[in-house]
Structure formats: C-alpha cells, structure tokens
Amino acid sequence: MTQFSVQQSKTPFASIDSMTEQEAPAFTATTLTELAAQAIRHGMTWTVFRPEHGVFLAEGNGHSLRLKAQQLLDFEIIPDPPPKSKVLDHLYIPSPLVDKLFFGILPGYEPFHLPNYRIGSTAEVYTTMSSLDPTGTATKKIRDNRHPSFAPDCLFGFSDIIPLAAPMLRQHSSTIIRLPIPAQYTVGLLTHKEGFVVFRHRLNRFIASPRYVTERKDAGLYAPYIAFWVRDKYSELTERFPEWEDEVLANKQINNRSVEFLDACNAAWDYCTGHLSNLIRMYGQNFYRDLMAAHLKHAVNWWHQAWNRMRAGEARDNYGLRDYIAEGMHLYWDYLDLVVKEMQERGWSKVPEPTLRDAWIVMVFRGFCWWRCHWMMEGQEMCVAPERLPSEYYEDSSEDARYLGEKEDEYVVVAKA
C-alpha cells in the first residue's frame, strides 16, 4: 500500500515519486476544483467536502483521501487493480467542461451564446428556470408537478436542458462517453425509447401532410426542407444501429460503445448544430436560447398532463411501449404551436412560423443525438444519489483559484513509503 500525506512546506511543489506523471500535478499545488475532480475520476465519492472548514473526505474504488486543516491527508491505493473492463467504465470524458458537471454546473454551448447553468440543487433549478422564463410560470409548474413517489428533485421536462444546452463533450473517434451527474434528475423524453419512437411517428405524419410543403412555399421557403433530412437521417440511424432507439440496449455498453455508432450520432449532431447556427446568424444571437426556453416552459407539463390523459382514456398510440412516457412525447408535439406562439411573444415574429417549427424539430433530434453520445447512469434509474459538490466551490478562473500548497501555511502533497 502506498500512502501520501499533506504536510506544511515553504515551497509550493514537492516530489511525488510514487505517483504517475498524470496524477502528480493534480495532487501537488492544486485548486479545490482539480482536487475534487481528480478524486472522483479515481472512482471516489466525496462524503465530506467543506473547504470553509478545511475538511475533506473521499472514499471508493479502493482509494481514500482525507484532509483536515493542521492534520494529515492520507491517500491510499490498493495495489491490486480492478478488472480492465471496470477501469474503462470508471473513466470520465477528460475535459475541463466535464469537471463543471461534478459541481452541478451545466456548461452552455458557447457558439449558441448559452451561459453556464447551475442545476445541482432544487433551488438552482428554480433560479435557472426563472432566468429562462422570467414570468415564473414554468418555475411554478416545476414546483407543482413533482410526483410524490419520486424524490423531490425529479423535475420532469426540465432535464431536457442537459442535451439541449450542453456542447458535444464526447471527443471524436473516442469511446469514452461517461459524464458526471450534474443534477438529481437527468433523464427524460429525449433519452427513452418511447420518446424516440413517438417522435419518429409524429415527424413522419407531420411532414406527410400536404400542408407541410404548402405552408413553406407560402412563406417563401424552398426545398430541400430540413425536416426531410431529419426523417431520413433518423431512418438511417435506426436501420444501422438497433441501439439508436433503445436506451436499454445502448446502456449495456458504457465506455465501449461502437465508435461507428458514436461517430454517426456525433456527425448528425454536428449537422443539426450547423443548421441552427445559420438561423442564429440570420435572426439574432438569442434565437436558440429563446427556442430552448420556450420548449422548456411547456415541457415541464408533460408528466402531469400525460397521466391526466391516461386517466381520462385519451392517451394516444404508445406503440407497445410505456404508455405514460409515449404520451409525453405526443404532448411535446402538441406543445409545438405553443412554442411558436411563445417565440413570437419573445420578439421573433419576423421568423416564418414554418422555420420555427422546423427549428424545434432539429433541436429535439439534436438532443437525441447528444444523449446517444453520452452516458450518466445505468438502466432506467430516474433519480440517483447526489455525486456532485456545491457549485460555489467551483473555480473557473486560474486568477481566482485557490491553490492548495501555494503558501507556507497551506498544504502540499508529498510521498511517503
């Protein structure tokens, strides 16, 4: 067993002969953010993280890390490594953006002019939703529509913000797709098979209507129409990859999914991003933000309304899948007119209505693609135990960061035999 301890030192760095080249920098002079992220990357869970009191404790995966002000920190590693498959599945995507998720901070996609969103706690969810919908209507719906059989943080509909706002975090040609869980509730209609299947059927019905082409010609829009591309790309992914529609099948593989599958989903995400980027250039930098906000404002209703329709005998075709989730995606399509109206009220009345509808279709399909390129949890779990740390401890600027081991009265990791 190798043991490391923190001791006072007059120099900001110390020799760590027993650590690997990759591990050593994070445990010498390091920020709180780096220390927290490195521990979790090693498979540990923070059971105590109180920087204000100088007390830290992380354990798991055969490791333990303990630090208390004026006392020792122990970092213990069991010499026998776990099986290679387990090591692979424990890996997170290596990225500073991913580190934000450890603190419940969702990085926004900068080219779409999206900020970081704090979603790690219920209070932060309310604040974030209020920033997207200043009327407070959606936030009230989130409060009112919690389901009592789940934990209070199961915030249906709001979780769509994760695939809609985040950048593509998975690296091209890489199979490492695991992400930290940034919120208590992360899954939703954009992850489940029911959402995929109902979306496909509703999309085919939508563009098969004679009104689809007529409305676009009347608005001065000409083929090829992006919704046709979404339909064809969706069909291609379904034919090539059975795991495209089935999250249970996809989640049987975490960090060893097919590179071909991941690259195909990634390429489709890139194409959708290009289309939405063109709309932003044409109409204004807040176009996508408002589109996402308009969707979320109504998406938070689906759980409650789906059950109401089922109890009233008004549920629509579930295609042999879970009826309440399938009904939820039907409701998303029902909300499309409300999304268009919301966009017009937000000042986008000069954008043709068909363009707004097609942009919503592209946004949702892009969300599907994002989810298939990332993994956060196993199976059908709805609510999971917190793995994130309070967002106030995240340090985004190297100028503002607090370094452990930077001053004489702080601590530096040194190796001990």
Side-chain angles (χ1 to χ4, degrees), residues 332-350:
Y332 271 20
W333 279 91
D334 295 347
Y335 299 152
L336 182 50
D337 286 341
L338 298 175
V339 170
V340 170
K341 182 179 179 182
E342 175 76 15
M343 286 292 284
Q344 292 171 337
E345 292 175 351
R346 286 172 175 257
W348 302 103
S349 57
K350 293 184 179 180

Side-chain angles (χ1 to χ4, degrees), residues 12-275:
F13 296 96
S15 173
I16 306 185
D17 297 332
S18 300
M19 282 189 172
T20 67
E21 183 178 348
Q22 291 74 27
E23 292 172 332
F27 287 99
T28 52
T30 184
T31 67
L32 290 175
T33 299
E34 291 169 338
L35 177 68
Q38 286 293 330
I40 300 175
R41 288 185 185 282
H42 279 76
M44 291 180 268
T45 298
W46 285 102
T47 55
V48 180
F49 192 84
R50 299 201 300 271
E52 69 274 18
H53 298 123
V55 181
F56 306 83
L57 175 61
E59 297 175 301
N61 198 32
H63 310 319
S64 69
L65 188 154
R66 180 168 54 88
L67 169 63
K68 186 175 182 180
Q70 307 304 323
Q71 295 184 15
L72 292 179
L73 171 150
D74 297 321
F75 181 45
E76 301 175 345
I77 303 177
I78 295 177
D80 296 328
K84 185 176 181 180
S85 61
K86 293 294 183 181
V87 172
L88 182 65
D89 285 348
H90 275 121
L91 295 177
Y92 291 97
I93 297 173
S95 166
L97 293 177
V98 173
D99 289 347
K100 294 181 179 182
L101 299 176
F102 289 123
F103 294 83
I105 300 173
L106 178 69
Y109 185 54
E110 290 186 0
F112 283 4
H113 308 282
L114 299 178
N116 294 328
Y117 295 105
R118 294 176 184 262
I119 60 174
S121 68
T122 303
E124 289 177 328
V125 166
Y126 292 157
T127 300
T128 293
M129 190 67 251
S130 295
S131 72
L132 293 168
D133 174 35
T135 68
T137 303
T139 302
K140 184 179 184 302
K141 290 174 181 175
I142 293 175
R143 293 178 188 273
D144 295 343
N145 291 341
R146 294 183 193 170
H147 196 273
S149 67
F150 288 92
D153 291 324
C154 285
L155 307 172
F156 303 101
F158 177 81
S159 58
D160 289 351
I161 194 174
I162 296 174
L164 299 186
M168 177 60 65
L169 298 168
R170 176 252 176 183
Q171 305 298 310
H172 281 280
S173 300
S174 172
T175 64
I176 305 302
I177 61 171
R178 186 183 181 192
L179 294 175
I181 301 171
Q184 186 78 0
Y185 182 79
T186 57
V187 296
L189 299 184
L190 304 189
T191 63
H192 294 312
K193 182 176 183 179
E194 291 81 0
F196 278 66
V197 172
V198 173
F199 178 86
R200 167 166 53 87
H201 284 280
R202 291 292 299 260
L203 174 64
N204 290 339
R205 188 191 316 171
F206 179 70
I207 62 180
S209 168
R211 288 182 55 195
Y212 181 82
V213 173
T214 300
E215 287 178 345
R216 278 147 188 79
K217 286 185 176 179
D218 290 346
L221 306 173
Y222 300 96
Y225 300 119
I226 188 64
F228 290 151
W229 177 88
V230 172
R231 177 198 61 190
D232 295 342
K233 180 57 65 174
Y234 190 108
S235 297
E236 176 191 331
L237 292 170
T238 304
E239 292 171 2
R240 293 177 60 192
F241 309 105
E243 63 268 39
W244 162 248
E245 283 193 332
D246 192 341
E247 87 273 18
V248 175
L249 184 60
N251 288 343
K252 288 182 178 180
Q253 297 176 310
I254 301 175
N255 283 334
N256 60 341
R257 288 184 188 175
S258 161
V259 173
E260 182 183 11
F261 171 61
L262 292 172
D263 282 349
C265 295
N266 206 147
W269 185 92
D270 289 339
Y271 191 90
C272 292
T273 300
H275 176 79

